Amino acid sequence: MTTLQTLVREAKLPRKESELLLFHAFECDRSWLYAHGDDSVTESRAAHFLGLVERRQAGEPLAYILGQWEFWSLPLKITPDVLIPRVDTELLVQWAAGLLKARSHQRCLDLGTGSGAVALAVKHECPRSEVTAVDLSAAALGVARANGKQLSLDVEWLLGSWFEPILARRFDLIVANPPYIREDDAHLHQGDLPAEPKMALTSGIDGLQALQQLAADGQAALEPGGWMLLEHGWDQGPDVRNLLVTQGWQGVETRRDLAGRERVTGGYRPL
């Protein structure tokens, strides 16, 4: 007799991944699994679950199989058109929310929004804020817009490259998790990265092309004293600080993620 617990054991995946796939296939949760783990299952249900397992074993990211991923405790629709949100990026939201809450005006611009994870987390954390999000990919923006609607969070979604859609507008804060991986980085062939959109991952030979553009153009889109926060690779902190200082940003500093790695660097437009 095939049971739910038997399926989890036979999946030959980390138990957490097996359970998530089982919850998805059987439309149940952990408490239901524990209460009914010894119940028999139909062949069709078992085949559906094992099909999901095969996709995971073949290297398809778990988030794409599930079609959903959590970020900042928000359930987000996820497709292969967008990057999978990582917990490291929550540092960007944490810093951004702290800056916005200290200001009378709270106009925030999220560049390269992808799934909308950062923009929606900021709006959720700072309900008074006016959040605008930009992405070059129409498909990604469609995912972000669907997430905003699902979560009932009001964000302005704009299609275009970096600052092009918001020319002549000013904000109090800019946040971005731009592509920053070097084009020849071996990590692009590991884990989930091979399945994710390359345009959202890589940025030139040194990985700094997008970061350099944002550092050069960001002040024109900010009110005096407005901040820009940039997520970057664990070893790019010194380079990003140098980019910001060279372009005249003030108060430049870097914050570290939970693993102690330099992850987000920011500075403000001179008063």
Side-chain angles (χ1 to χ4, degrees):
M1 180 180 71
T2 301
T3 67
L4 295 174
Q5 293 290 2
T6 301
L7 288 175
V8 170
R9 288 194 297 269
E10 291 180 352
K12 296 181 180 178
L13 290 172
R15 184 173 180 87
K16 183 178 179 180
E17 292 191 5
S18 298
E19 289 186 349
L20 287 173
L21 292 175
L22 189 114
F23 302 155
H24 181 69
F26 286 83
E27 300 178 350
C28 67
D29 57 20
R30 181 169 281 104
S31 61
W32 194 91
L33 170 62
Y34 291 159
H36 300 274
D38 293 327
D39 291 358
S40 62
V41 298
T42 64
E43 289 185 10
S44 60
R45 282 280 197 172
H48 177 48
F49 169 72
L50 294 175
L52 299 180
V53 170
E54 288 179 4
R55 289 168 60 184
R56 181 60 184 140
Q57 290 173 337
E60 185 174 351
L62 187 62
Y64 293 160
I65 298 173
L66 300 175
Q68 181 173 293
W69 206 244
E70 188 174 281
F71 178 82
W72 202 258
S73 299
L74 300 174
L76 299 174
K77 173 185 176 182
I78 299 296
T79 77
D81 295 309
V82 300
L83 290 182
I84 301 165
R86 267 78 171 181
V87 68
D88 290 341
T89 303
E90 293 192 353
L91 174 63
L92 179 63
V93 176
Q94 183 181 28
W95 192 354
L99 289 171
L100 283 176
K101 289 176 180 178
R103 302 181 71 96
S104 56
H105 294 99
Q106 298 184 4
R107 294 164 297 182
C108 178
L109 174 64
D110 176 29
L111 296 173
T113 193
S115 65
V118 172
L120 292 166
V122 169
K123 181 65 178 179
H124 181 265
E125 194 67 20
C126 304
R128 289 199 305 112
S129 62
E130 300 174 15
V131 181
T132 298
V134 174
D135 203 282
L136 181 61
S137 165
L141 209 61
V143 174
R145 187 176 287 109
N147 281 324
K149 184 176 181 180
Q150 170 187 293
L151 296 169
S152 299
L153 292 172
D154 185 19
V155 171
E156 178 186 25
W157 308 104
L158 298 177
L159 179 66
S161 176
W162 301 130
F163 298 99
E164 288 178 359
I166 52 89
L167 293 179
R169 293 174 58 181
R170 295 281 183 86
F171 297 84
D172 304 290
L173 173 68
I174 296 170
V175 293
N177 178 15
Y180 54 73
I181 300 177
R182 293 183 293 275
E183 291 179 347
D184 61 352
D185 195 314
H187 290 93
L188 291 170
H189 306 288
Q190 301 172 8
D192 291 338
L193 293 185
E196 296 185 78
K198 190 173 181 180
M199 67 177 289
L201 292 171
T202 63
S203 185
I205 299 299
D206 57 5
L208 296 172
Q209 185 173 314
L211 288 160
Q212 188 170 20
Q213 182 177 351
L214 294 173
D217 299 340
Q219 290 191 36
L222 283 171
E223 295 288 355
W227 278 78
M228 181 167 70
L229 306 180
L230 302 173
E231 182 170 341
H232 51 74
W234 66 273
D235 60 347
Q236 292 175 322
D239 291 320
V240 179
R241 288 192 292 273
N242 181 62
L243 288 174
L244 292 175
V245 170
T246 300
Q247 293 295 333
W249 294 84
Q250 295 189 355
V252 175
E253 63 174 293
T254 299
R255 295 193 179 181
R256 297 175 181 269
D257 61 23
L258 293 174
R261 298 168 297 198
E262 294 191 327
R263 180 60 60 188
V264 180
T265 296
Y268 64 86
R269 177 184 172 181
L271 296 170

